[in-house]
Amino acid sequence: MNPSPTWAAALLPSAVLLPLAWAVLCVLIPARARRVLGPVGAMTTAAVGIAIAVVVAVGGPVEAALAGRVPPLGIAVRADGPGALFLLLTSIVGGLVSLFAAIHPHSTGVAGARDWFWSAWLLGWSGLAAVFLSADLFNMYVAIEIVGLAAVLLVALGGPGAWRAAFRYLMVTVTGSLLFLLSLTMVYAATGVLDLRLAGERLAAGDPGGVHVTVILALAAAGMAFKSALFPLHGWLPDAHAGAPGAVSPLLSALVVKSSFFILFRVWTEVTGPDPVVGAVLGIAAAGSVLWAGLSAIRTPRFKRLVGYSTVSQVGYLFLYFPLSAAADGPEQQRAAWIAVALLAFAHGLAKSSLFLSAGVIKDRLGTDRLAAMTDQDARMPVVTMAIAIAAVSLAGLPVSLGFAGKWQLLMAAVGTGLWWVVAVAVAGTLVAAMYLLRPVQTLLSGESSDHRPTPGGAGDGGHADDGGDDEGRSTDPASGAHLRGTGTRAVPRAATLIPLAAALLAALAIGVSGPLADLAVLGMTHGGGA
């Protein structure tokens, strides 16, 4: 392990321990203090994550051995390009969602439960950072367990109506963890180590291309497919999103499902190396996610479920990396495939956080997320409508957006490896995505009336000039101070509606830095495991 500057290496454990310390602090302090210290801890954590990404982009990968003991006796943490890129995405999305939650506390859960949002979210953030920075399989296992348990807690904050979905999520995440535990147990039995690099080297030396390696990879792939909601194991995710609070869904979609994908990427590239059989199976599942979930999004009547199915569909694009990598002829094609998927993951995280935050705003304003109730709402919610439209452009991979850059790179990588079926899936998926993403935009801009739309506090068009300013004469929730707009409806602070717009603009305009992001994505990347 090459030594890194002490000040730079100190940032790595800070990215994990800082949010963990804030999570514990938020458990110990009174509820009122959490609403102040929680956002402070989140913004501080985001700053550390961004700093690590900048350090890696400028000076190269950073490594540190905890307590000064190097593997295999010690534990190493590492920020290379792939880890830094995903940590940067976590910091940006986490910062935006935390700001939204601080401005609009009602979005963090039902009364009585929302006080625990900051503890659960900061705990999950600590787990995410550990996933992206760990250089050890066991630490990855512990980290993904923390992420899963924190995500279940966050979903449960939606109240009794969300508890069934949260329990289902718990069963899924435990199943995935057990499969991954079996995989790393087999790695340890075969190599005597759990450090990623050392395990890859010893596996390659002892059983190159053997059945043992395929089984290890297959178990890891199955476990992470559960956690990432890959087709046909995706049924739990739309329900979890439908019941989750407005500030929770963007975290699940933009970050949590990517952490399990990232673990499988590490195992694939550093431990086992590409495997054509596992790659083919994952490719079939990925194609099913892209197309089947997209068609399901077209049929669903609710906005949050639509965006949830969209997440399943977009996750499919990420898992197309594995058949592309298995078919790659040399490091250059490996790099091309990873750059495409990394750009898509970054664009998806920003755009999907925008869509879910927008869906939460609409559900609060109208008391429902039914698409039929959103008819002709663009005048009352112009900022949210603009955010949805811009995010949809990036998510569908249309010009000019970061999603387009990623989709174009994916097509080029597929052509380069001769996998024309991937081209067909990507083109068909783009058309399907355009169809389901057009639904909420068209509905918001439609001039037709809707019998399903509730009247906001009986005020007719009153208050339509802003996206949730102060509304006098309406009752107030004593727990959050938010104004109620009739049965099941609630005003949203004007400032909160700017957050999804900011995320959507970042998803579109980030195409301007797609080159630096691509360079960061492959910085220090290992191609093909230890073989």
Side-chain angles (χ1 to χ4, degrees), residues 116-170:
W116 298 102
F117 169 81
W118 292 107
S119 298
W121 163 221
L122 289 168
L123 177 65
W125 199 332
S126 175
L128 288 167
V131 167
F132 301 140
L133 298 178
S134 289
D136 179 275
L137 282 169
F138 183 74
N139 287 338
M140 281 189 165
Y141 167 74
V142 174
I144 199 67
E145 277 290 274
I146 292 173
V147 171
L149 294 176
V152 170
L153 289 173
L154 288 168
V155 172
L157 297 181
W163 291 350
R164 178 177 180 140
F167 181 76
R168 191 178 182 189
Y169 189 0
L170 177 63

Side-chain angles (χ1 to χ4, degrees), residues 210-427:
V211 175
H212 190 246
V213 173
T214 300
V215 173
I216 289 173
L217 185 58
L219 286 171
M224 297 306 104
F226 268 104
K227 289 176 174 287
S228 293
L230 187 68
F231 177 88
L233 308 174
H234 66 284
W236 60 270
L237 189 138
D239 290 338
H241 281 308
V248 170
S249 291
L251 301 175
L252 299 180
S253 179
L255 304 177
V256 172
V257 296
K258 290 181 179 62
S259 62
S260 45
F261 163 77
F262 187 83
I263 286 180
L264 183 57
F265 163 75
R266 286 293 200 202
V267 174
W268 178 278
T269 58
E270 298 196 35
V271 179
T272 65
D275 184 280
V277 175
V278 177
V281 174
L282 289 175
I284 294 171
S289 283
V290 171
L291 300 176
W292 180 261
L295 294 174
S296 298
I298 293 175
R299 298 193 303 267
T300 186
R302 292 186 177 274
F303 190 20
K304 288 193 73 175
R305 288 186 68 86
L306 182 152
V307 186
Y309 277 116
S310 172
T311 295
V312 177
S313 181
Q314 299 297 320
V315 163
Y317 286 107
L318 306 187
F319 277 80
L320 286 175
Y321 165 76
F322 300 107
L324 289 172
S325 174
D329 184 16
E332 287 304 314
Q333 289 187 352
Q334 293 274 2
R335 284 165 56 92
W338 174 243
I339 287 173
V341 169
L343 292 180
L344 284 173
F346 206 89
H348 172 263
L350 294 171
K352 193 53 65 70
S353 61
S354 174
L355 282 180
F356 267 121
L357 289 175
S358 298
V361 170
I362 289 174
K363 188 171 183 178
D364 281 345
R365 289 294 300 272
L366 303 180
T368 179
D369 66 337
R370 286 191 172 274
L371 291 168
M374 294 163 51
T375 306
D376 196 21
Q377 290 291 308
D378 61 305
R380 292 187 60 241
M381 294 182 282
V383 176
V384 172
T385 302
M386 185 182 302
I388 293 173
I390 296 173
V393 169
S394 182
L395 205 58
L398 302 178
V400 178
S401 66
L402 184 60
F404 171 75
K407 193 71 68 71
W408 181 260
Q409 291 289 337
L410 182 69
L411 293 174
M412 293 300 99
V415 171
T417 55
L419 296 186
W420 292 97
W421 66 268
V422 173
V423 175
V425 169
V427 172

